[in-house]
Amino acid sequence: MALAPLEIVGLCLGVIGLIGTCAVTGMPQWRVTAFIESNIIVFETIWEGLWMNCIRHANIRMQCKVYDSLLALTPDLQAARGLMCVAVILTLLAVLIAIVGMQCTQCAGDNERMKGYIVLAAGIIFILAGILVLIPVSWTGNNIIRDFYNPLVNTAQKRELGEALYLGWATAAVLIAGGAILCCACCCVKEENRPYSYSPQLATYTSHQISRKTASTYSKSQYV
């Protein structure tokens, strides 16, 4: 039970990562209007997300429109959709697996070694989900920065990094950290449950030396 606090910390980070992954997937603030050069219409802000476009007018009214066709989307947007959906599923699965394998639960019985392997699997899935979140977020951020400094791109089409990207990077870090903590907890369980090695040859040699020493002492006392 000494490792229960470590597992709880890893699980809490995983739950936070699950909430962040769902939020990043649904948020429309992946690409935000860049107010540069002649694009000074500050009362209108355009947000572009994975599922919809939103136009916000002077912080009063906001209109959103879902993308009409999946085939009309850019390849990076299609890939980001798929990767984020897989990341949500994997994170939810990792949370459930971690709950089953924790030391403070009885879902997997009292087998400490089996629980350790279950927690290790949950940690690996958390790390994999963090990488899946990191890929589309970094890919989208790279495209935004590349187009921003590209002189061939029209000023009205240039975008800035949205809040969803920053939240995505933080979520990926939380998921990877939670997975690493669970993996460390599993390694500690293995160290605690490692059996002591028994060498019959060493035991026989030691008992033989003790018997010889006893016999020698007995002979000397008899001689005296």
Side-chain angles (χ1 to χ4, degrees):
M1 295 295 291
L3 297 175
L6 192 63
E7 294 177 349
I8 292 175
V9 171
L11 179 61
C12 290
L13 291 178
V15 172
I16 295 174
L18 174 61
I19 297 173
T21 304
C22 295
V24 172
T25 305
M27 288 176 63
Q29 295 97 332
W30 282 61
R31 302 169 183 261
V32 182
T33 304
F35 300 106
I36 55 175
E37 297 181 3
S38 60
N39 189 17
I40 57 175
I41 308 178
V42 295
F43 62 85
E44 183 177 273
T45 304
I46 300 176
W47 296 340
E48 298 178 5
L50 298 180
W51 311 96
M52 65 185 72
N53 282 338
C54 295
I55 300 178
R56 188 175 184 180
H57 301 278
N59 297 327
I60 299 176
R61 185 181 61 178
M62 184 174 63
Q63 296 177 344
C64 295
K65 182 177 183 298
V66 180
Y67 296 125
D68 296 328
S69 176
L70 177 63
L71 299 178
L73 301 178
T74 57
D76 60 332
L77 189 56
Q78 295 180 10
R81 275 188 174 187
L83 291 175
M84 292 303 298
C85 290
V86 173
V88 171
I89 296 173
L90 287 180
T91 308
L92 179 60
L93 181 63
V95 169
L96 298 177
I97 293 176
I99 293 175
V100 172
M102 293 184 65
Q103 301 292 326
C104 56
T105 62
Q106 298 296 327
C107 299
D110 295 329
N111 191 340
E112 301 294 334
R113 183 176 294 273
M114 180 60 66
K115 286 185 175 182
Y117 287 130
I118 294 175
V119 170
L120 177 62
I124 293 175
I125 296 176
F126 272 132
I127 295 175
L128 181 59
I131 295 174
L132 291 180
V133 172
L134 186 62
I135 291 174
V137 170
S138 300
W139 189 2
T140 303
N142 177 69
N143 291 339
I144 293 174
I145 296 174
R146 182 194 61 195
D147 294 339
F148 187 86
Y149 291 106
N150 188 359
L152 301 178
V153 178
N154 188 12
T155 303
Q157 296 178 348
K158 292 184 178 181
R159 297 291 183 263
E160 290 183 354
L161 302 176
E163 292 84 352
L165 298 183
Y166 296 106
L167 182 60
W169 282 316
T171 300
V174 169
L175 287 174
I176 294 175
I181 290 175
L182 291 179
C183 291
C184 292
C186 172
C187 294
C188 294
V189 170
K190 289 182 179 179
E191 289 293 333
E192 289 183 355
N193 294 334
R194 178 177 296 176
Y196 293 100
S197 58
Y198 175 75
S199 178
Q201 295 180 356
L202 181 61
T204 304
Y205 177 76
T206 305
S207 60
H208 181 65
Q209 291 292 332
I210 293 174
S211 62
R212 288 182 59 186
K213 184 177 180 180
T214 305
S216 176
T217 304
Y218 180 75
S219 300
K220 288 181 180 180
S221 61
Q222 239 181 6
Y223 179 76
V224 174

